[in-house]
Amino acid sequence: MSLIHLENIHKTYHAGAPLHVLKGISLDIERGEFVSIMGASGSGKSTLLNILGILDNYDEGEYRLNDVLIKNLKESRAADYRNRMIGFIFQSFNLIPFKNAMENVALPLFYQGVGRRRRNALAMEYLERLGLRDWAHHLPSELSGGQKQRVAIARAIITHPQIILADEPTGALDSQTSVEVMELLRRLNEEGMTVVVVTHESGVAYRTHKIVHIKDGLIGKIEENPNPGASPFGEGGLMK
Amino acid sequence: MRLFDLDKWEEILQTITRNKSRSLLTAFGVFWGVFMLVFLMGGGEGLKRLMARNFEGFAQNSCFVMPGTTTKAYKGFQSGRSWTLELADVERIRRSVPGVETVTPMTARWGVNVWRGETKGNGTLKGIRADYARIEDPHLTYGRFITEADEREYRKVCVLGKRIYEELFPGVDNPCGLYICVDSIYYQVVGVSKMTSNVGVMGSAERSVMVPLTTMQRIYHYGDQVQTLGFTARRGVTVTEIQDRVESVIKRAHFIAPDDGQAVFMFNMEALFRMVDNLFEGIEILVWLIGVGTLLSGAIGVSNIMMVTVRERTSEIGIRRAIGARPGSILRQVMAESIVLTVLAGLAGITFAVLMLQGLETIVASTGADVSFQISFRMAVGAAAVLAVLGGLAGLAPSFRALAIKPIDAIRDE
């Protein structure tokens, strides 16, 4: 049984003229995979990511996450699934500006009802793993982009999610830090985490093991990339 | 959800203090509303009590008759004639008006010097009958009131008002049996009254020296004349109902034209009481209108600012939602923020109003009146509860707006 099972997903936006964004996506992602979804802007990749992240509904088809049918969920149920099964990494980091790094990392545990002391201790542990121990009490505005993204990664993995969804994780970073962040994601994947990266940069996509090309709301081709390190774009921080 | 979850309180405090000046200004609206409401209500109540002291012990169902000057020629008399009431009028009224209960004649001399040895006081000498006590409760602190025996035997005894007693007998605990002197006549003090009323037709009760009417008539050669008649109505009859009958009886006896509106002055206490009652009712309604109006506009202000805050926090709320905040948790947070802000501001308002009322009380107390202006504890608690509800209502619209925020919108909102 695959971790993510998408079957004939359709999605139409009704803002003014109806816009048929996803036109029947079927995709399976296995546990432990490191996948990128690649496409130009407007191809529907972000919509697909929102559906994968239970941030948006779909009109037709079937989405099973860890063998749980995700369809027309109540908001509180969706929130619980997001909290426990999915770790998000965003292009613009999306840290809460008035909370320090540790509090930001601990926030998902707050919504699980984990006590303050345990929560903060766990957050410190994860920050340390990502080499941010000394920055734990700094506000996001005092951190560099790479540091912010590492805080966001710590926040994404603190709940031991089934899957990590990264939406253009390197979009706001320079090439050097982009390499670092991708390296981090690769290491997480090696530890057994399923990672899905949405990107339009081929340099990023070719660092993953499997590249799903999406075009005009349909899956174009699925490319296996058995040797990601050997990608010509990935060398020496020249991803872009 | 635990109420005393430290984290939740920290979150609330954090958001409120993040924009201190805005929170403060918003809170001020509620603060001022509550302050106005509580202060005006306390002040209004106090004023009412202060006013009520003027009537204390006074029979509400009473009326006073005083002579004036005729303005119409009648039965051979010219207009512009002065006339006086006489003792016989008491009997006339009693006989002809079935609704009356007590009819009592009174005479007074204003601004007399009252001596006790070398100590001088200024007061009003009042000649009254024993049944005057039915119109105004004498509230005796010492001794007794004037009795019928005093009248019958023309005794030179007196009952002192509170102020006169304090001026003439400082340090004397019970002045009964001692003597005072008015116009070279010595009267024995038989009682001290603490009447405080300022109504009626004979001046302040606190400065009066009450002696038997007969004694006074004899000393000052008043003959049959009396200055004022007071009467009360029987139970179940209002003074207003019998007032006209009394007036016509008096007019007939003194040859006054029945349609002469100036010749007889009637002081209807009942009407006066009713007027004052209405006045305070009006004031109370006004206070509520102002207070509730101000409070409401304060609450709307809170709601408004919370709206802005929610809009500002769109992306933050979206992030929270994306990482697993349930809608209920967002709702509770915004509501709690609104309630905390309103209640804190309101409690400050109540506290400030209570302090101001205390100050007012101290100022009023220094003028000698001992009146409470303070609101009751029950009312304060009630006000706090109302504030919490108001804060909740103010938080409703903003929290539903916060609920409408979808995580995707927020995350895309850059």
Side-chain angles (χ1 to χ4, degrees), chain B residues 334-348:
Chain B
V334 178
M335 288 288 263
E337 226 179 287
S338 167
I339 291 173
V340 166
L341 198 65
T342 315
V343 168
L344 280 183
L347 289 183

Side-chain angles (χ1 to χ4, degrees), chain A residues 75 80 83 99 111 116, chain B residues 7 10-11 321 323 326:
Chain A
E75 250 314 312
D80 279 354
N83 183 261
K99 287 184 177 293
Y111 288 118
R116 180 190 186 78
Chain B
D7 291 314
E10 199 189 323
E11 292 266 314
R321 292 289 300 276
I323 62 174
R326 293 175 172 207

Side-chain angles (χ1 to χ4, degrees), chain B residues 161-186:
Chain B
K162 191 175 134 209
R163 280 288 174 88
I164 286 279
Y165 153 67
E166 283 167 2
E167 278 172 26
L168 294 184
F169 297 95
V172 177
D173 191 29
N174 184 349
C176 293
L178 301 176
Y179 287 86
I180 58 153
C181 172
V182 178
D183 290 337
S184 311
I185 310 281
Y186 280 85

Side-chain angles (χ1 to χ4, degrees), chain B residues 103-125:
Chain B
V103 185
T104 185
M106 287 172 275
T107 286
R109 286 175 80 83
W110 284 276
V112 295
N113 291 328
V114 188
W115 296 87
R116 178 193 168 229
E118 295 299 306
T119 323
K120 188 176 85 173
N122 192 278
T124 311
L125 188 68

